[in-house]
Amino acid sequence: MAGATAAPAADQHPRQADFGADFAAAGLDGTLGPGERPALLLVDPAAAYTEEESPLYAGVQDAVTGMHRLLAAARRHKIPVFLTRVLHEHPGDGGLFARKVPATRVWAKGSPWAEFIPGLEPGTGETVITKQYPSAFFGTPLASLLSAARVDTVLIAGLTTSGCIRATALDALQHGFIPIVAADAVGDRHPEIHASNLVDIKAKIADVETTAGIERYLAARSLLQPPGRPPVPALHDSAPHPKHRTEQDKA
C-alpha cells in the first residue's frame, strides 16, 4: 500500500526481550531495603476475585495462598495488619472509576462478592480501610494511621497487581513509607500482565520480594528486638464489632 510504513522488525528492539536487564542497564534497579517497623497491608482480598461467577474472577489461588501465609506471619510476629475493602453504598460512589470500570458494581453494599475471602477476614485489633479507588491511600486515613503506629515499611499483598497493588505501592512510596510487594501474594487476571507489572514496580516504585523472604525478614526482626522493647502494638484493643472495626467506627 502506497505511503504505508512497515512495522519495525522485532530484532530492532532488543530491549523488549528482557525488560529487567534493560531497566538495570538504565539504572532503574535501586533497592530500598526494609525498615524497622513494618505493617502488613492486604489490598482487597475479596471474593470477587475468587468466585467464578463474578465478573472480576481472576483465578488467583496462588496469590491467596501467599496472603494466608503473610497474614499468619504478621499475626505471629505481632505487627500491625491493615485490610482494604471497596464498598459502594450511595449513587455516585466510585466516581469516574466506576464509570470506567462497570464491573465495580460487584462492590455494591450487600454483594457477596464484596466479602472477604474465607480465612482472610480481619481479626481483633486489625484495621479495615474502606476505599473506592485503586489506591488504599486515596481518600482514606491510611497514611495517618500508619504514621500514628510509627510504621516505616508497608508489606503489600492482595489484588490485583496491575491495578490496586500498583496504585497502592506508588502512593506508599509518595507518602514516605517503604513499599515491599510480595510477588507471590499478589495476582492478576493474566500472568503476563502480572509479571510485567512486577518488573515495572520493582524498577520504579517498590522492592519486590517473595513471601518466604518476607517471612524470614519478620522472623529475623523479631529475634533482633532489643531486650525490654515491647512488640509493635496492635492499633486497637477493643472494637464494637466482634472481629474488627473500620476507620468509620474510629471517627
Side-chain angles (χ1 to χ4, degrees), residues 128-143:
V128 175
I129 300 292
T130 301
K131 66 187 185 71
Q132 295 190 355
Y133 293 87
S135 171
F137 289 87
F138 185 79
T140 79
L142 178 58

Side-chain angles (χ1 to χ4, degrees), residues 19-41:
F19 292 121
D22 173 53
F23 287 161
L28 299 170
D29 60 347
T31 58
L32 298 169
E36 296 182 355
R37 297 186 67 88
L40 175 65
L41 176 60

Side-chain angles (χ1 to χ4, degrees), residues 50-245:
T50 59
E51 298 296 327
E52 294 187 11
E53 298 82 9
S54 166
L56 292 181
Y57 173 72
V60 287
Q61 187 54 49
D62 288 346
V64 171
T65 299
M67 283 188 272
H68 279 285
R69 287 178 57 182
L70 287 180
L71 183 56
R75 290 169 174 170
R76 186 165 60 251
H77 296 292
K78 298 180 173 59
I79 68 169
V81 173
F82 296 81
L83 306 93
T84 72
R85 66 174 181 178
V86 183
L87 182 64
H88 291 177
E89 296 184 88
H90 309 291
D93 279 356
L96 292 177
F97 183 51
R99 285 173 53 188
K100 178 63 178 175
V101 184
T104 56
R105 64 183 180 277
V106 303
W107 309 125
K109 185 177 181 179
S111 168
W113 293 328
E115 298 297 324
F116 289 101
I117 295 169
L120 295 176
E121 303 91 348
T124 301
E126 296 173 356
T127 302
V128 175
I129 300 292
T130 301
K131 66 187 185 71
Q132 295 190 355
Y133 293 87
S135 171
F137 289 87
F138 185 79
T140 79
L142 178 58
S144 296
L145 294 174
L146 291 171
S147 294
R150 294 176 291 163
V151 167
D152 61 12
T153 302
V154 182
L155 308 173
I156 301 172
L159 304 163
T160 59
T161 313
S162 62
C164 297
I165 297 301
R166 184 189 181 94
T168 295
L170 179 58
D171 272 0
L173 178 75
Q174 294 176 152
H175 279 87
F177 303 103
I178 298 169
I180 299 180
V181 174
D184 49 351
V186 297
D188 216 304
R189 294 175 68 87
H190 299 286
E192 297 84 359
I193 292 175
H194 167 74
S196 63
N197 272 272
L198 284 179
V199 170
D200 204 46
I201 288 170
K202 183 176 181 181
K204 305 168 185 174
I205 298 171
D207 286 357
V208 176
E209 303 290 347
T210 63
T211 295
I214 292 173
E215 288 172 328
R216 288 192 296 271
Y217 156 64
L218 292 176
R221 175 187 164 278
S222 294
L223 290 173
L224 292 174
Q225 288 288 329
R229 177 176 174 179
V232 177
L235 293 180
H236 311 289
D237 295 323
S238 60
H241 189 284
K243 287 294 185 182
H244 66 277
R245 68 190 300 186

